[in-house]
Amino acid sequence: MDLVIRDIETLLTMDSDDGLGRLDGAAVGFRDGRVAWVGPSDKAPDAADNLSGKGLIGLPGLVDCHTHAAWAGSRAPEFEARLAGAEYSAILEAGGGILSTVRATRAASEAELVDATRTRLLAMRSRGVTTVEVKSGYGLSVADETKQLKAAAQAGEQAGVHVVTTWLGAHTVPAEHRAHREAYLKQLIEEQLPAVASLASFADAYVDRGAFTIAECEQLFGAAKASGLGLRIHAEQVTYTGAAALAARLGASSADHLEHIDAEGMAAMAAAGTVGVMLPGAMLYLRDPAPPIEALREAGVRLAVATDYNPGTSPVVDLWTAATLASVMLRMTVTEVLRGITVEAARALDLSDRGRVAVGMAGDLVLVRPPVGEPAEPSVLVQHMACHRAEHVVIGGELVGT
Ligand code: NIG
Ligand code: FE
């Protein structure tokens, strides 16, 4: 082995269909960048490098499957306006909100975007996040969407974090097209899509008040799918539109938010295997109602949890905080939440080689020390909010800084 981590107090492999795959006193070995051995520590093979996991909780490298981490500018004034009673959709319809971040992101150079995004990715990595989905959607033109996607990928390389890119040209209609939105839809399909098809793994759309309609989304997703992109969607966040059902029928990998989803949407998602991504940071900041978690569970929808890290609705960089909020605000169980930031988040990104600790998986692992005085039990990771820094992070079989 190149590296073996021995005596891990509590290892949560997630290598099970619905549990945590817990092993006590286990070791994990890495070779050629991948997990090559998992089992009881006293049987672990020799290695060039060795590390003790005594007192620590081990998990697969965390996966943040919904972020808008590549932005420029500040939404602090809008935060204050919302505290004074202004409404999110109304701010957007009046040319602020997402559109204000679009103005700042268009004005930033690619290098400036890379720098800001790298800093944010490193903050995520220090918490144990090793795979991050990053969306565009603050460019809304061919040049600016491609700039954002390239910046996200480059920041990922510089930070040593796996970045999965999603094209969100359909985030909102940009100011210059507000009077003739069909021209923007045409630009999305005929100009942006060909330009981003090789830069992104997924296409996403925000279907809601102040954003896109279900008919526009259907047209866009048809074209995106034909260009080889996977699909994911911002659905049923502020108002109900039926977007989750549509996306599921089109084979989307995930439908995210879901505060206002109905029974038809849930049934369609369960049938298609579309993962429901819970974004409690946005719920908290917008004071949105909780998605119908029990009904989602009963319908058999798989659930992931993500930060939705963005400057407007979820200035939350810390995936552990999202995990805690998901349990407190949505009553997700500890097992659901911990699977939701690992194996189910990987599933939401169609990544079958991570999110679990098992032989052959990506060599990504995080070791966390329980809060002082607490046992190395999974529940303490969820119970205590915003206090987990990773003690060690392994990415691609190598120890990286935290
Ligand atoms: O996921 N709701 C739409 N998109 C983002 C917010 C982006 C923004 O406000 O800048 C979200 O919440
Ligand atoms: Fe989002």
Side-chain angles (χ1 to χ4, degrees):
M1 295 289 139
D2 301 327
L3 167 70
V4 171
I5 304 182
R6 301 173 191 277
D7 299 316
I8 301 171
E9 202 80 33
T10 308
L11 176 65
L12 308 176
T13 67
M14 308 296 165
D15 196 22
S16 112
D17 210 35
D18 51 12
L20 295 176
R22 175 175 177 158
L23 299 174
D24 290 349
V28 179
F30 301 88
R31 195 173 43 218
D32 300 329
R34 307 199 81 84
V35 173
W37 197 89
V38 185
S41 212
D42 54 3
K43 304 239 164 56
D46 293 338
D49 272 327
N50 294 277
L51 189 75
S52 168
K54 265 213 164 22
L56 305 179
I57 305 176
L59 301 102
L62 308 185
V63 178
D64 194 342
C65 66
H66 181 142
T67 87
H68 306 250
W71 82 81
S74 168
R75 300 270 285 281
E78 178 194 316
F79 174 66
E80 291 197 273
R82 289 213 313 269
L83 288 177
E87 205 202 320
Y88 178 67
S89 299
I91 293 173
L92 174 57
E93 281 162 342
I98 295 169
L99 289 170
S100 110
T101 303
V102 168
R103 286 189 289 276
T105 305
R106 283 180 175 177
S109 69
E110 189 172 316
E112 285 165 342
L113 270 185
V114 171
D115 283 350
T117 308
R118 181 188 57 243
T119 302
R120 295 178 189 129
L121 293 176
L122 287 171
M124 293 172 155
R125 193 180 88 172
S126 71
R127 273 98 171 166
V129 176
T130 55
T131 298
V132 182
E133 186 257 14
V134 181
K135 300 175 197 297
S136 64
Y138 291 132
L140 310 187
S141 70
V142 174
D144 294 301
E145 286 290 304
T146 53
K147 176 179 77 179
Q148 229 192 321
L149 290 167
K150 284 185 191 158
Q154 216 186 316
E157 270 165 41
Q158 292 181 8
V161 169
H162 308 292
V163 162
V164 175
T165 46
T166 295
W167 169 57
L168 180 56
H171 200 183
T172 193
V173 179
E176 65 275 16
H177 283 107
R178 285 259 150 175
H180 36 92
R181 48 191 299 133
E182 63 296 336
Y184 186 61
L185 189 66
K186 196 162 148 41
Q187 183 203 107
L188 282 172
I189 294 172
E190 292 176 12
E191 295 171 41
Q192 287 191 32
L193 178 56
V196 301
S198 62
L199 300 175
S201 302
F202 292 95
D204 194 341
Y206 178 34
V207 178
D208 218 319
R209 238 188 85 191
F212 288 86
T213 66
I214 196 105
E216 290 167 338
C217 175
E218 186 162 15
Q219 220 185 314
L220 176 72
F221 274 12
K225 212 171 153 178
S227 298
L229 292 179
L231 303 177
R232 46 204 324 105
I233 189 160
H234 285 68
E236 331 295 12
Q237 182 188 13
V238 181
T239 54
Y240 169 79
T241 63
L246 169 73
R249 280 198 292 270
L250 294 175
S253 303
S254 79
D256 306 25
H257 287 291
L258 308 183
E259 281 83 339
H260 299 278
I261 191 168
D262 66 349
E264 189 202 339
M266 294 185 228
M269 285 179 67
T274 302
V275 176
V277 180
M278 302 291 99
L279 303 168
M283 267 176 59
L284 180 70
Y285 277 82
L286 294 180
R287 294 187 183 77
D288 280 341
I293 199 81
E294 253 174 72
L296 283 161
R297 224 182 245 140
E298 269 164 34
V301 176
R302 292 197 174 259
L303 299 174
V305 175
T307 59
D308 196 11
Y309 189 29
N310 77 74
T313 61
S314 192
V316 177
V317 70
D318 179 19
L319 188 56
W320 291 111
T321 298
T324 301
L325 293 176
S327 70
V328 175
M329 298 170 72
L330 303 177
R331 291 179 193 265
M332 287 178 74
T333 66
V334 166
T335 298
E336 281 173 335
V337 161
L338 293 177
R339 287 181 60 85
I341 58 174
T342 53
V343 63
E344 300 301 343
R347 189 191 308 272
L349 295 176
D350 288 343
L351 297 172
S352 54
D353 70 337
R354 69 196 70 186
R356 292 183 291 141
V357 184
V359 171
M361 292 284 128
D364 302 344
L365 189 88
V366 54
L367 291 157
V368 182
R369 188 171 296 285
V372 64
E374 295 286 5
E377 288 297 319
S379 53
V380 305
L381 295 173
V382 179
Q383 180 204 2
H384 288 254
M385 182 147 73
C387 64
H388 310 309
R389 258 188 80 93
E391 186 123 336
H392 304 290
V393 179
V394 180
I395 301 183
E398 285 182 23
L399 276 165
V400 299
T402 65

